[in-house]
Amino acid sequence: MMLGAGDPLLSGKIDLTVVLIVIGKTVAVFAFLLVAVMLYIWFMRKVIADMASRVGPDTAGPWGILQSLADGIKLFFKEQSVPDSADRRVFFLAPYISLMTAFLAFSIIPIGGQVSIAGHQTYLQLADLPIGILFLLAMSGLGLYGVMLAGWSSGSKYPLLGSVRASAQMLSYEAAFGLAIVGVLVQAGTLSTRAIVDKQAWTGVGSLGTWYVIPAFVAFVIFLISAIAETNHPPFDLVEAEQELVGGFHTEYTGIRFAIFYLAEFMNLITMSAIAVTLFLGGPAGPSLGFLSATGAVNTWLMPVFWFVAKVMVLLFGTVWLRASLPRLRYDQLMDLGWKWLIELAFIWVMVSGVIIVGRNEGWNLIAVVPLSLLGGLGILGVLRASMPNRSELVEEIL
Amino acid sequence: MARFSGFGVTFKQMFKPRITGFYPKEKREKPERFHGRHVLNRYEDGMEKCIGCELCAGVCPAKCIYVRGADNSPDSPVSPGERFGFVYEINYLRCIHCDMCVEACPTEAITETKLFEFSFANRADAIYTKEELLVDDEGRAKRQPWELWLGGEDDKTSAWMRATSSSGDADYEGRVNWSGELGFGVREPEQGQSL
């Protein structure tokens, strides 16, 4: 029963209906993600075109909305070449590792509220794991294997370089990413995504303050930056820096296997946005339509999903905006940002919020505790920054 | 905040009109002196203007024109006068569309249209023969299978236009110094020469 500890669907007797509901939810979430990726790619291309004074895809379907479907069909029927020097088994496996982890990570996202299907109460969420966030970290860690093995098994130098970059980058930012999440977990006191969302439930405009974006703002910013770096998106897309590495780790991939990498990449981005919404922006929380019955289908099914999708879309627009505006970071800038800023800031943020929470529980004087802990945190940051070697001095020494 | 000003630039851009169009569905009007592919013109009575003098071939800096003249037979002359262009070939893998041939031609036989969208799949297609270059009985360019013309493009194909005072003499400004084209008539002088 570990898998569904939170979900009321799995707390009773497991009969055929329950199994069917779970299978139905799985299919629905999978289809939701695939359609979301398809639309996101179209949306991204359109918005970037707008920002570059271009028209963008406009031929396939109305406003070119079927462009990614057409691309997918084309890739599906293309020849799939495998380099002679490739490690064939791993080469075939790698794209599916990427896809699988990208999809599994999404399974813990609460998409909507609690609904009733065929007499069973259940969450609009594929799985409410009691260790949900740990599962997310595990999946984003495993996702690295897809990229790494793809580059390694291609038997070609640019994919290898790309995957080495990817491993270094994803490992570096995994730390900041995890610590930013801890910044929320410290306050929420639970690992279950459903419980985290419940703590940010909508009770009126005042509940905006309970969304962790306010009490954990620093963690939110660190999370966004490191999530984009985790998914290898611009401006952190050194992994596929075309000018240097051809296509990066997927240079040798063609046809549908390449499409799967592409799919997984954008799936990861959507998952990350969904995680950010879940952790910081209240997930499906939002005002329901007051003039309709609170137990009606619109307010139990539709409105939470609407709020969830709307928030995710705002974040996804942000990623497109980044892509259109920022040039790629240099490799040392990438490492500096990750190791010298984000990890420390996240660490200090966890400590400061820990102190504040303990202070609140123990009844310390918060007016004294909050500034003191902030000051202490800044002090630690200052000492750390001061103790770091200066790059230009280092370069001079070497020269 | 200067390092974030780029976001403002891209965001503002979203609400500005698009610069790019819907090519090839919609095409822009070509400039008056656009240099596209050539045509060999005819007179109103169907006679060819080319007299096979090879001046175009001689002046061509890319050496892409090959002309051989031949004597007209007195019974069925191809062109008015003694000789006509018996062979006329232009190699579009070499042509740089400099329009020197048009300048050199004494009879306005060779002119450049505004057609430029052709993509041949082999070298033989790249060499336009006299048959392909010659205009039809209406004075229109003949469409080759590898050429892309859309939506009334051929109404604007005859685009060759010369400055009315080519020697720079102001007295000749606005005075047409060329003969009419079959199918398109006499073109108006260009505007704005005397700026």
Side-chain angles (χ1 to χ4, degrees), chain B residues 18-45:
Chain B
R18 305 287 169 268
I19 291 170
T20 55
F22 290 87
Y23 182 88
K25 273 187 266 175
E26 295 167 15
K27 292 185 178 181
R28 285 188 193 172
E29 193 112 334
K30 308 287 183 303
E32 281 199 329
R33 298 188 187 183
F34 190 88
H35 293 182
R37 86 146 161 94
H38 302 81
V39 282
L40 281 173
N41 294 307
R42 293 173 191 266
Y43 292 107
E44 297 284 336
D45 61 359

PDB file of all heavy atoms in Angstrom, chain B residues 18-45:
ATOM      1  N   ARG B  18       4.865  42.130 -37.910  1.00  0.00           N
ATOM      2  CA  ARG B  18       5.867  41.179 -38.392  1.00  0.00           C
ATOM      3  C   ARG B  18       6.624  41.751 -39.578  1.00  0.00           C
ATOM      4  O   ARG B  18       6.034  42.438 -40.417  1.00  0.00           O
ATOM      5  CB  ARG B  18       5.194  39.881 -38.820  1.00  0.00           C
ATOM      6  CG  ARG B  18       4.337  39.272 -37.760  1.00  0.00           C
ATOM      7  CD  ARG B  18       5.182  38.654 -36.679  1.00  0.00           C
ATOM      8  NE  ARG B  18       4.358  38.307 -35.540  1.00  0.00           N
ATOM      9  CZ  ARG B  18       4.136  39.110 -34.511  1.00  0.00           C
ATOM     10  NH1 ARG B  18       4.673  40.308 -34.471  1.00  0.00           N
ATOM     11  NH2 ARG B  18       3.386  38.719 -33.518  1.00  0.00           N
ATOM     12  N   ILE B  19       7.888  41.452 -39.642  1.00  0.00           N
ATOM     13  CA  ILE B  19       8.683  41.900 -40.777  1.00  0.00           C
ATOM     14  C   ILE B  19       8.573  40.893 -41.915  1.00  0.00           C
ATOM     15  O   ILE B  19       8.482  41.254 -43.079  1.00  0.00           O
ATOM     16  CB  ILE B  19      10.155  42.082 -40.357  1.00  0.00           C
ATOM     17  CG1 ILE B  19      10.259  43.271 -39.413  1.00  0.00           C
ATOM     18  CG2 ILE B  19      11.033  42.290 -41.562  1.00  0.00           C
ATOM     19  CD1 ILE B  19      11.593  43.393 -38.754  1.00  0.00           C
ATOM     20  N   THR B  20       8.557  39.619 -41.570  1.00  0.00           N
ATOM     21  CA  THR B  20       8.537  38.593 -42.614  1.00  0.00           C
ATOM     22  C   THR B  20       7.128  38.406 -43.150  1.00  0.00           C
ATOM     23  O   THR B  20       6.154  38.682 -42.472  1.00  0.00           O
ATOM     24  CB  THR B  20       9.036  37.257 -42.067  1.00  0.00           C
ATOM     25  OG1 THR B  20       8.261  36.934 -40.926  1.00  0.00           O
ATOM     26  CG2 THR B  20      10.484  37.326 -41.702  1.00  0.00           C
ATOM     27  N   GLY B  21       7.020  37.946 -44.387  1.00  0.00           N
ATOM     28  CA  GLY B  21       5.722  37.708 -45.004  1.00  0.00           C
ATOM     29  C   GLY B  21       5.455  36.231 -45.155  1.00  0.00           C
ATOM     30  O   GLY B  21       6.132  35.401 -44.546  1.00  0.00           O
ATOM     31  N   PHE B  22       4.462  35.892 -45.970  1.00  0.00           N
ATOM     32  CA  PHE B  22       4.068  34.507 -46.124  1.00  0.00           C
ATOM     33  C   PHE B  22       4.577  33.931 -47.439  1.00  0.00           C
ATOM     34  O   PHE B  22       3.847  33.290 -48.168  1.00  0.00           O
ATOM     35  CB  PHE B  22       2.544  34.387 -46.034  1.00  0.00           C
ATOM     36  CG  PHE B  22       2.013  34.644 -44.670  1.00  0.00           C
ATOM     37  CD1 PHE B  22       1.714  35.924 -44.251  1.00  0.00           C
ATOM     38  CD2 PHE B  22       1.841  33.601 -43.782  1.00  0.00           C
ATOM     39  CE1 PHE B  22       1.241  36.162 -42.976  1.00  0.00           C
ATOM     40  CE2 PHE B  22       1.363  33.832 -42.506  1.00  0.00           C
ATOM     41  CZ  PHE B  22       1.063  35.119 -42.101  1.00  0.00           C
ATOM     42  N   TYR B  23       5.829  34.220 -47.760  1.00  0.00           N
ATOM     43  CA  TYR B  23       6.423  33.649 -48.948  1.00  0.00           C
ATOM     44  C   TYR B  23       6.384  32.129 -48.852  1.00  0.00           C
ATOM     45  O   TYR B  23       6.644  31.617 -47.771  1.00  0.00           O
ATOM     46  CB  TYR B  23       7.871  34.131 -49.066  1.00  0.00           C
ATOM     47  CG  TYR B  23       8.562  33.644 -50.294  1.00  0.00           C
ATOM     48  CD1 TYR B  23       8.478  34.353 -51.470  1.00  0.00           C
ATOM     49  CD2 TYR B  23       9.288  32.464 -50.268  1.00  0.00           C
ATOM     50  CE1 TYR B  23       9.100  33.898 -52.599  1.00  0.00           C
ATOM     51  CE2 TYR B  23       9.916  32.002 -51.395  1.00  0.00           C
ATOM     52  CZ  TYR B  23       9.817  32.736 -52.562  1.00  0.00           C
ATOM     53  OH  TYR B  23      10.420  32.285 -53.682  1.00  0.00           O
ATOM     54  N   PRO B  24       6.083  31.372 -49.880  1.00  0.00           N
ATOM     55  CA  PRO B  24       5.775  31.805 -51.252  1.00  0.00           C
ATOM     56  C   PRO B  24       4.298  32.059 -51.521  1.00  0.00           C
ATOM     57  O   PRO B  24       3.952  32.294 -52.659  1.00  0.00           O
ATOM     58  CB  PRO B  24       6.255  30.612 -52.065  1.00  0.00           C
ATOM     59  CG  PRO B  24       5.977  29.448 -51.193  1.00  0.00           C
ATOM     60  CD  PRO B  24       6.170  29.920 -49.782  1.00  0.00           C
ATOM     61  N   LYS B  25       3.454  31.989 -50.471  1.00  0.00           N
ATOM     62  CA  LYS B  25       2.034  32.228 -50.723  1.00  0.00           C
ATOM     63  C   LYS B  25       1.809  33.667 -51.165  1.00  0.00           C
ATOM     64  O   LYS B  25       1.002  33.937 -52.035  1.00  0.00           O
ATOM     65  CB  LYS B  25       1.226  31.932 -49.457  1.00  0.00           C
ATOM     66  CG  LYS B  25       0.831  30.473 -49.338  1.00  0.00           C
ATOM     67  CD  LYS B  25      -0.093  30.257 -48.172  1.00  0.00           C
ATOM     68  CE  LYS B  25       0.655  29.853 -46.941  1.00  0.00           C
ATOM     69  NZ  LYS B  25      -0.135  29.721 -45.744  1.00  0.00           N
ATOM     70  N   GLU B  26       2.483  34.581 -50.485  1.00  0.00           N
ATOM     71  CA  GLU B  26       2.388  35.978 -50.875  1.00  0.00           C
ATOM     72  C   GLU B  26       3.781  36.460 -51.211  1.00  0.00           C
ATOM     73  O   GLU B  26       4.717  36.202 -50.464  1.00  0.00           O
ATOM     74  CB  GLU B  26       1.840  36.818 -49.710  1.00  0.00           C
ATOM     75  CG  GLU B  26       0.423  36.467 -49.335  1.00  0.00           C
ATOM     76  CD  GLU B  26       0.036  37.073 -47.995  1.00  0.00           C
ATOM     77  OE1 GLU B  26       0.771  37.971 -47.528  1.00  0.00           O
ATOM     78  OE2 GLU B  26      -0.975  36.630 -47.438  1.00  0.00           O
ATOM     79  N   LYS B  27       3.868  37.151 -52.356  1.00  0.00           N
ATOM     80  CA  LYS B  27       5.193  37.632 -52.739  1.00  0.00           C
ATOM     81  C   LYS B  27       5.213  39.145 -52.728  1.00  0.00           C
ATOM     82  O   LYS B  27       4.204  39.797 -52.981  1.00  0.00           O
ATOM     83  CB  LYS B  27       5.543  37.121 -54.126  1.00  0.00           C
ATOM     84  CG  LYS B  27       5.758  35.630 -54.158  1.00  0.00           C
ATOM     85  CD  LYS B  27       6.210  35.216 -55.513  1.00  0.00           C
ATOM     86  CE  LYS B  27       6.461  33.706 -55.521  1.00  0.00           C
ATOM     87  NZ  LYS B  27       6.923  33.292 -56.835  1.00  0.00           N
ATOM     88  N   ARG B  28       6.363  39.663 -52.458  1.00  0.00           N
ATOM     89  CA  ARG B  28       6.487  41.114 -52.482  1.00  0.00           C
ATOM     90  C   ARG B  28       6.650  41.609 -53.911  1.00  0.00           C
ATOM     91  O   ARG B  28       7.146  40.890 -54.770  1.00  0.00           O
ATOM     92  CB  ARG B  28       7.724  41.541 -51.690  1.00  0.00           C
ATOM     93  CG  ARG B  28       7.523  41.433 -50.225  1.00  0.00           C
ATOM     94  CD  ARG B  28       8.692  42.044 -49.517  1.00  0.00           C
ATOM     95  NE  ARG B  28       8.644  41.659 -48.112  1.00  0.00           N
ATOM     96  CZ  ARG B  28       9.607  41.906 -47.261  1.00  0.00           C
ATOM     97  NH1 ARG B  28      10.685  42.521 -47.655  1.00  0.00           N
ATOM     98  NH2 ARG B  28       9.496  41.537 -46.008  1.00  0.00           N
ATOM     99  N   GLU B  29       6.262  42.836 -54.129  1.00  0.00           N
ATOM    100  CA  GLU B  29       6.498  43.472 -55.409  1.00  0.00           C
ATOM    101  C   GLU B  29       8.003  43.619 -55.604  1.00  0.00           C
ATOM    102  O   GLU B  29       8.720  44.052 -54.704  1.00  0.00           O
ATOM    103  CB  GLU B  29       5.841  44.843 -55.421  1.00  0.00           C
ATOM    104  CG  GLU B  29       5.766  45.436 -56.781  1.00  0.00           C
ATOM    105  CD  GLU B  29       4.326  45.520 -57.280  1.00  0.00           C
ATOM    106  OE1 GLU B  29       3.470  44.723 -56.839  1.00  0.00           O
ATOM    107  OE2 GLU B  29       4.087  46.380 -58.113  1.00  0.00           O
ATOM    108  N   LYS B  30       8.452  43.250 -56.800  1.00  0.00           N
ATOM    109  CA  LYS B  30       9.898  43.335 -57.040  1.00  0.00           C
ATOM    110  C   LYS B  30      10.278  44.761 -57.396  1.00  0.00           C
ATOM    111  O   LYS B  30       9.451  45.506 -57.935  1.00  0.00           O
ATOM    112  CB  LYS B  30      10.287  42.416 -58.192  1.00  0.00           C
ATOM    113  CG  LYS B  30       9.808  40.987 -58.059  1.00  0.00           C
ATOM    114  CD  LYS B  30      10.584  40.240 -57.030  1.00  0.00           C
ATOM    115  CE  LYS B  30      10.136  38.795 -56.980  1.00  0.00           C
ATOM    116  NZ  LYS B  30       8.699  38.619 -56.716  1.00  0.00           N
ATOM    117  N   PRO B  31      11.498  45.143 -57.129  1.00  0.00           N
ATOM    118  CA  PRO B  31      11.966  46.463 -57.542  1.00  0.00           C
ATOM    119  C   PRO B  31      11.939  46.596 -59.065  1.00  0.00           C
ATOM    120  O   PRO B  31      11.996  45.593 -59.778  1.00  0.00           O
ATOM    121  CB  PRO B  31      13.405  46.516 -57.022  1.00  0.00           C
ATOM    122  CG  PRO B  31      13.523  45.421 -56.058  1.00  0.00           C
ATOM    123  CD  PRO B  31      12.519  44.397 -56.403  1.00  0.00           C
ATOM    124  N   GLU B  32      11.883  47.825 -59.553  1.00  0.00           N
ATOM    125  CA  GLU B  32      11.730  48.032 -60.995  1.00  0.00           C
ATOM    126  C   GLU B  32      12.872  47.433 -61.806  1.00  0.00           C
ATOM    127  O   GLU B  32      12.675  46.929 -62.890  1.00  0.00           O
ATOM    128  CB  GLU B  32      11.630  49.523 -61.285  1.00  0.00           C
ATOM    129  CG  GLU B  32      10.240  50.086 -60.997  1.00  0.00           C
ATOM    130  CD  GLU B  32      10.004  51.396 -61.703  1.00  0.00           C
ATOM    131  OE1 GLU B  32      10.980  52.132 -61.888  1.00  0.00           O
ATOM    132  OE2 GLU B  32       8.852  51.667 -62.069  1.00  0.00           O
ATOM    133  N   ARG B  33      14.074  47.555 -61.283  1.00  0.00           N
ATOM    134  CA  ARG B  33      15.221  47.086 -62.069  1.00  0.00           C
ATOM    135  C   ARG B  33      15.691  45.694 -61.641  1.00  0.00           C
ATOM    136  O   ARG B  33      16.863  45.356 -61.772  1.00  0.00           O
ATOM    137  CB  ARG B  33      16.387  48.064 -61.947  1.00  0.00           C
ATOM    138  CG  ARG B  33      16.051  49.427 -62.487  1.00  0.00           C
ATOM    139  CD  ARG B  33      17.274  50.285 -62.512  1.00  0.00           C
ATOM    140  NE  ARG B  33      16.929  51.660 -62.876  1.00  0.00           N
ATOM    141  CZ  ARG B  33      17.846  52.603 -63.022  1.00  0.00           C
ATOM    142  NH1 ARG B  33      19.118  52.343 -62.840  1.00  0.00           N
ATOM    143  NH2 ARG B  33      17.482  53.821 -63.354  1.00  0.00           N
ATOM    144  N   PHE B  34      14.781  44.930 -61.091  1.00  0.00           N
ATOM    145  CA  PHE B  34      15.139  43.588 -60.618  1.00  0.00           C
ATOM    146  C   PHE B  34      15.740  42.751 -61.752  1.00  0.00           C
ATOM    147  O   PHE B  34      15.234  42.755 -62.869  1.00  0.00           O
ATOM    148  CB  PHE B  34      13.882  42.901 -60.098  1.00  0.00           C
ATOM    149  CG  PHE B  34      14.153  41.628 -59.372  1.00  0.00           C
ATOM    150  CD1 PHE B  34      14.420  41.637 -58.022  1.00  0.00           C
ATOM    151  CD2 PHE B  34      14.141  40.408 -60.034  1.00  0.00           C
ATOM    152  CE1 PHE B  34      14.680  40.468 -57.351  1.00  0.00           C
ATOM    153  CE2 PHE B  34      14.409  39.240 -59.366  1.00  0.00           C
ATOM    154  CZ  PHE B  34      14.674  39.277 -58.020  1.00  0.00           C
ATOM    155  N   HIS B  35      16.809  42.058 -61.468  1.00  0.00           N
ATOM    156  CA  HIS B  35      17.467  41.224 -62.469  1.00  0.00           C
ATOM    157  C   HIS B  35      17.108  39.765 -62.250  1.00  0.00           C
ATOM    158  O   HIS B  35      17.672  39.111 -61.376  1.00  0.00           O
ATOM    159  CB  HIS B  35      18.985  41.380 -62.386  1.00  0.00           C
ATOM    160  CG  HIS B  35      19.462  42.731 -62.784  1.00  0.00           C
ATOM    161  ND1 HIS B  35      20.790  43.061 -62.815  1.00  0.00           N
ATOM    162  CD2 HIS B  35      18.805  43.833 -63.181  1.00  0.00           C
ATOM    163  CE1 HIS B  35      20.919  44.311 -63.197  1.00  0.00           C
ATOM    164  NE2 HIS B  35      19.721  44.815 -63.420  1.00  0.00           N
ATOM    165  N   GLY B  36      16.172  39.261 -63.019  1.00  0.00           N
ATOM    166  CA  GLY B  36      15.823  37.844 -62.925  1.00  0.00           C
ATOM    167  C   GLY B  36      16.393  37.082 -64.104  1.00  0.00           C
ATOM    168  O   GLY B  36      17.435  37.448 -64.639  1.00  0.00           O
ATOM    169  N   ARG B  37      15.680  36.042 -64.512  1.00  0.00           N
ATOM    170  CA  ARG B  37      16.204  35.292 -65.651  1.00  0.00           C
ATOM    171  C   ARG B  37      15.859  36.012 -66.953  1.00  0.00           C
ATOM    172  O   ARG B  37      14.958  36.852 -67.001  1.00  0.00           O
ATOM    173  CB  ARG B  37      15.657  33.869 -65.642  1.00  0.00           C
ATOM    174  CG  ARG B  37      14.313  33.666 -66.298  1.00  0.00           C
ATOM    175  CD  ARG B  37      14.312  32.287 -66.939  1.00  0.00           C
ATOM    176  NE  ARG B  37      12.994  31.774 -67.220  1.00  0.00           N
ATOM    177  CZ  ARG B  37      12.403  31.919 -68.399  1.00  0.00           C
ATOM    178  NH1 ARG B  37      12.964  32.615 -69.349  1.00  0.00           N
ATOM    179  NH2 ARG B  37      11.208  31.365 -68.604  1.00  0.00           N
ATOM    180  N   HIS B  38      16.576  35.657 -68.027  1.00  0.00           N
ATOM    181  CA  HIS B  38      16.419  36.382 -69.282  1.00  0.00           C
ATOM    182  C   HIS B  38      15.235  35.871 -70.090  1.00  0.00           C
ATOM    183  O   HIS B  38      14.763  34.761 -69.878  1.00  0.00           O
ATOM    184  CB  HIS B  38      17.670  36.207 -70.148  1.00  0.00           C
ATOM    185  CG  HIS B  38      18.917  36.670 -69.487  1.00  0.00           C
ATOM    186  ND1 HIS B  38      19.590  35.908 -68.579  1.00  0.00           N
ATOM    187  CD2 HIS B  38      19.611  37.825 -69.605  1.00  0.00           C
ATOM    188  CE1 HIS B  38      20.651  36.559 -68.156  1.00  0.00           C
ATOM    189  NE2 HIS B  38      20.692  37.730 -68.768  1.00  0.00           N
ATOM    190  N   VAL B  39      14.804  36.700 -71.049  1.00  0.00           N
ATOM    191  CA  VAL B  39      13.957  36.227 -72.147  1.00  0.00           C
ATOM    192  C   VAL B  39      14.530  36.786 -73.440  1.00  0.00           C
ATOM    193  O   VAL B  39      15.207  37.815 -73.442  1.00  0.00           O
ATOM    194  CB  VAL B  39      12.486  36.687 -72.018  1.00  0.00           C
ATOM    195  CG1 VAL B  39      11.747  35.860 -71.013  1.00  0.00           C
ATOM    196  CG2 VAL B  39      12.411  38.167 -71.690  1.00  0.00           C
ATOM    197  N   LEU B  40      14.268  36.087 -74.527  1.00  0.00           N
ATOM    198  CA  LEU B  40      14.583  36.601 -75.857  1.00  0.00           C
ATOM    199  C   LEU B  40      13.281  37.136 -76.444  1.00  0.00           C
ATOM    200  O   LEU B  40      12.290  36.400 -76.531  1.00  0.00           O
ATOM    201  CB  LEU B  40      15.144  35.486 -76.748  1.00  0.00           C
ATOM    202  CG  LEU B  40      16.613  35.128 -76.532  1.00  0.00           C
ATOM    203  CD1 LEU B  40      16.971  33.917 -77.343  1.00  0.00           C
ATOM    204  CD2 LEU B  40      17.500  36.301 -76.924  1.00  0.00           C
ATOM    205  N   ASN B  41      13.271  38.415 -76.810  1.00  0.00           N
ATOM    206  CA  ASN B  41      12.019  39.057 -77.216  1.00  0.00           C
ATOM    207  C   ASN B  41      11.742  38.898 -78.710  1.00  0.00           C
ATOM    208  O   ASN B  41      12.626  38.539 -79.486  1.00  0.00           O
ATOM    209  CB  ASN B  41      12.057  40.533 -76.858  1.00  0.00           C
ATOM    210  CG  ASN B  41      12.098  40.732 -75.361  1.00  0.00           C
ATOM    211  OD1 ASN B  41      11.264  40.194 -74.653  1.00  0.00           O
ATOM    212  ND2 ASN B  41      13.103  41.453 -74.882  1.00  0.00           N
ATOM    213  N   ARG B  42      10.502  39.168 -79.058  1.00  0.00           N
ATOM    214  CA  ARG B  42      10.056  39.150 -80.462  1.00  0.00           C
ATOM    215  C   ARG B  42       9.430  40.492 -80.802  1.00  0.00           C
ATOM    216  O   ARG B  42       9.003  41.231 -79.922  1.00  0.00           O
ATOM    217  CB  ARG B  42       8.978  38.089 -80.670  1.00  0.00           C
ATOM    218  CG  ARG B  42       9.388  36.666 -80.532  1.00  0.00           C
ATOM    219  CD  ARG B  42       8.088  35.868 -80.611  1.00  0.00           C
ATOM    220  NE  ARG B  42       8.231  34.473 -80.259  1.00  0.00           N
ATOM    221  CZ  ARG B  42       8.448  33.514 -81.154  1.00  0.00           C
ATOM    222  NH1 ARG B  42       8.604  33.799 -82.411  1.00  0.00           N
ATOM    223  NH2 ARG B  42       8.520  32.266 -80.749  1.00  0.00           N
ATOM    224  N   TYR B  43       9.320  40.749 -82.081  1.00  0.00           N
ATOM    225  CA  TYR B  43       8.536  41.903 -82.535  1.00  0.00           C
ATOM    226  C   TYR B  43       7.077  41.527 -82.560  1.00  0.00           C
ATOM    227  O   TYR B  43       6.708  40.353 -82.431  1.00  0.00           O
ATOM    228  CB  TYR B  43       8.998  42.353 -83.926  1.00  0.00           C
ATOM    229  CG  TYR B  43      10.384  42.953 -83.929  1.00  0.00           C
ATOM    230  CD1 TYR B  43      11.456  42.262 -84.464  1.00  0.00           C
ATOM    231  CD2 TYR B  43      10.597  44.216 -83.387  1.00  0.00           C
ATOM    232  CE1 TYR B  43      12.716  42.801 -84.466  1.00  0.00           C
ATOM    233  CE2 TYR B  43      11.865  44.768 -83.384  1.00  0.00           C
ATOM    234  CZ  TYR B  43      12.929  44.064 -83.917  1.00  0.00           C
ATOM    235  OH  TYR B  43      14.176  44.586 -83.911  1.00  0.00           O
ATOM    236  N   GLU B  44       6.231  42.547 -82.768  1.00  0.00           N
ATOM    237  CA  GLU B  44       4.783  42.317 -82.791  1.00  0.00           C
ATOM    238  C   GLU B  44       4.387  41.285 -83.847  1.00  0.00           C
ATOM    239  O   GLU B  44       3.427  40.541 -83.656  1.00  0.00           O
ATOM    240  CB  GLU B  44       4.058  43.630 -83.098  1.00  0.00           C
ATOM    241  CG  GLU B  44       4.254  44.718 -82.063  1.00  0.00           C
ATOM    242  CD  GLU B  44       3.433  44.474 -80.808  1.00  0.00           C
ATOM    243  OE1 GLU B  44       2.420  43.772 -80.906  1.00  0.00           O
ATOM    244  OE2 GLU B  44       3.830  44.965 -79.735  1.00  0.00           O
ATOM    245  N   ASP B  45       5.110  41.261 -84.977  1.00  0.00           N
ATOM    246  CA  ASP B  45       4.749  40.328 -86.035  1.00  0.00           C
ATOM    247  C   ASP B  45       5.331  38.945 -85.825  1.00  0.00           C
ATOM    248  O   ASP B  45       5.222  38.077 -86.688  1.00  0.00           O
ATOM    249  CB  ASP B  45       5.200  40.884 -87.394  1.00  0.00           C
ATOM    250  CG  ASP B  45       6.700  41.086 -87.447  1.00  0.00           C
ATOM    251  OD1 ASP B  45       7.360  40.813 -86.407  1.00  0.00           O
ATOM    252  OD2 ASP B  45       7.224  41.501 -88.483  1.00  0.00           O
TER     253      ASP B  45
END
